[in-house]
Amino acid sequence: MSAREIAVFSGSAHPELAAEICAHLGVPLLPVRVQRFANDCLEVQLQANCRERDVFIIQPLVRPVQENLVELLLMLDAARGASAARITAVIPHYSYARSDKKDAPRISIGGKLVADLLVTAGANRVLAMTLHSPQVHGFFDIPVDHLHALQELARYFRQYDLSQTTVVSPDLGNAKEAAHFARLLGAQVAAGAKQRFADDRVQISSVIGEITGRDVIVLDDEIAKGSTVLELLDRLRELKPRSIRVACTHGLFAAKAIERIGAQEDVLEIVCTNTVPIPEDERTDKLKILSIAPAMAEAIRRIHNGESVSALFEPA
């Protein structure tokens, strides 16, 4: 570590991940006190010295998203008020990245608004994992280090025979990431032709690519209600793949999505990372959770030492 001391804090959203990141960094996770006043307002106190320190605040924007967002803003403001030398918001899941365009009249582009709030609160830098769309990176007026979990996912899937594997993106928007993942595995790539009619209603008319008799890995950036994956599975079955596995970075799994996808007999596995917490009682035997803590810790170390973060993604 560099001469300037590092200070790592965590909000309430995912303290287990923050503790794991700190274990890999070899630094303590510093204490934070969060209390709620009688009028329902939050108060946050960082209970360690921040003056002239390199401060990292870890907080994914997960349910309850608005509570966790306000808590993060208050932590950033507290660090700035405590004369931190630099403040990095570490956001493993940036949920408002879905609100990235004006696709209906009189709606807010929430991804940009939240980016502005983070900067206003005191963030000098953002470290994020697998943003929903690349343009969200440009919503910030400060440096953004944008990680992805494809290396971790690829490392896991290399335990299998990949000679007849096709990576399938549920839509053309995620096809570039799927193609990158396929290259890491030495596999083919395919994509669904998807139309979305509502948050939980999608239609996939066809799948472009070679599927029949092949081992399929469905790759998405996040799975929320699982409606897209379930619709894609129906199209894939028509093409008779040999096996099906499902993978994503952010396993949000709302509305019993794990249960619904896991109930599909031909789905052998559901693989995700721990960017968001998944309660023990919601997990199934088919679910495999990979840790992104080593990658996040290495990125934090590189930021702290002024080293290249993009070098993390260069081929080994």
Side-chain angles (χ1 to χ4, degrees), residues 227-264:
S227 49
T228 295
V229 171
L230 292 169
E231 172 76 5
L232 179 60
L233 292 176
D234 286 341
R235 297 291 78 74
L236 290 173
R237 288 180 187 116
E238 295 167 4
L239 301 168
K240 296 181 168 49
R242 184 166 69 178
S243 69
I244 301 174
R245 289 179 166 84
V246 175
C248 69
T249 299
H250 307 299
L252 302 175
F253 301 129
K256 298 188 175 178
I258 299 181
E259 200 176 299
R260 290 159 64 216
I261 298 169
Q264 311 298 308

Side-chain angles (χ1 to χ4, degrees), residues 13-316:
H14 201 351
E16 298 83 6
L17 174 59
E20 196 180 338
I21 289 170
C22 284
H24 283 281
L25 281 171
V27 301
L29 179 60
L30 299 172
V32 178
R33 181 174 60 85
V34 181
Q35 66 177 11
R36 193 179 296 272
F37 291 114
N39 65 355
D40 204 40
C41 291
L42 291 173
E43 183 187 60
V44 171
Q45 183 186 36
L46 306 179
Q47 296 190 298
N49 180 30
C50 297
R51 186 174 294 274
E52 295 306 317
R53 297 178 83 178
D54 198 3
V55 173
F56 293 83
I57 298 173
I58 303 171
Q59 180 89 317
L61 300 183
V62 296
R63 289 178 293 174
V65 174
Q66 282 60 242
E67 291 270 323
N68 287 325
L69 171 59
V70 171
E71 189 179 285
L72 174 58
L73 295 173
L74 292 172
M75 292 174 75
L76 293 168
D77 185 60
R80 180 177 57 182
S83 302
R86 181 175 63 182
I87 306 164
T88 302
V90 181
I91 310 175
H93 177 57
Y94 185 70
S95 53
Y96 274 97
R98 276 187 167 274
S99 179
D100 61 353
K101 56 189 171 295
K102 189 163 183 174
D103 53 5
R106 297 173 298 283
I107 63 168
S108 167
I109 301 175
K112 170 62 175 163
L113 174 62
V114 171
D116 289 344
L117 288 170
L118 292 167
V119 175
T120 299
N124 304 122
R125 186 176 206 98
V126 167
L127 174 61
M129 171 75 74
T130 311
L131 294 169
H132 182 65
S133 53
Q135 63 263 32
V136 175
H137 194 139
F139 289 172
F140 290 89
D141 297 325
I142 54 175
V144 176
D145 290 299
H146 184 198
L147 307 184
H148 63 67
L150 298 184
Q151 300 279 11
E152 284 71 23
L153 290 167
R155 201 173 297 124
Y156 176 80
F157 281 105
R158 286 190 190 114
Q159 68 181 291
Y160 301 116
D161 176 6
L162 300 171
S163 58
Q164 296 296 313
T165 296
T166 298
V167 176
V168 181
S169 169
D171 55 46
L172 297 173
N174 200 52
K176 189 173 181 181
E177 185 168 313
H180 184 182
F181 187 55
R183 284 196 298 275
L184 290 174
L185 297 180
Q188 292 187 21
V189 67
K194 182 177 88 171
Q195 276 186 291
R196 181 175 290 280
F197 300 100
D199 185 44
D200 59 351
R201 194 165 69 84
V202 298
Q203 182 182 55
I204 297 176
S205 56
S206 62
V207 178
I208 305 157
E210 195 178 337
I211 301 297
T212 304
R214 296 182 67 81
D215 301 309
V216 165
I217 301 172
V218 174
L219 178 74
D220 209 350
D221 62 324
E222 67 178 60
I223 297 175
K225 290 186 176 179
S227 49
T228 295
V229 171
L230 292 169
E231 172 76 5
L232 179 60
L233 292 176
D234 286 341
R235 297 291 78 74
L236 290 173
R237 288 180 187 116
E238 295 167 4
L239 301 168
K240 296 181 168 49
R242 184 166 69 178
S243 69
I244 301 174
R245 289 179 166 84
V246 175
C248 69
T249 299
H250 307 299
L252 302 175
F253 301 129
K256 298 188 175 178
I258 299 181
E259 200 176 299
R260 290 159 64 216
I261 298 169
Q264 311 298 308
E265 290 185 11
D266 50 0
V267 174
L268 302 181
E269 260 183 326
I270 306 164
V271 183
C272 69
T273 76
N274 63 342
T275 54
V276 305
I278 302 171
E280 289 284 348
D281 59 358
E282 292 182 15
R283 302 180 186 186
T284 72
D285 292 340
K286 289 187 179 180
L287 181 67
K288 174 69 178 178
I289 303 173
L290 310 178
S291 178
I292 49 91
M296 298 292 281
E298 179 61 15
I300 289 171
R301 188 192 68 78
R302 286 169 180 255
I303 291 167
H304 181 62
N305 291 342
E307 299 171 12
S308 170
V309 174
S310 62
L312 284 171
F313 304 120
E314 292 172 1

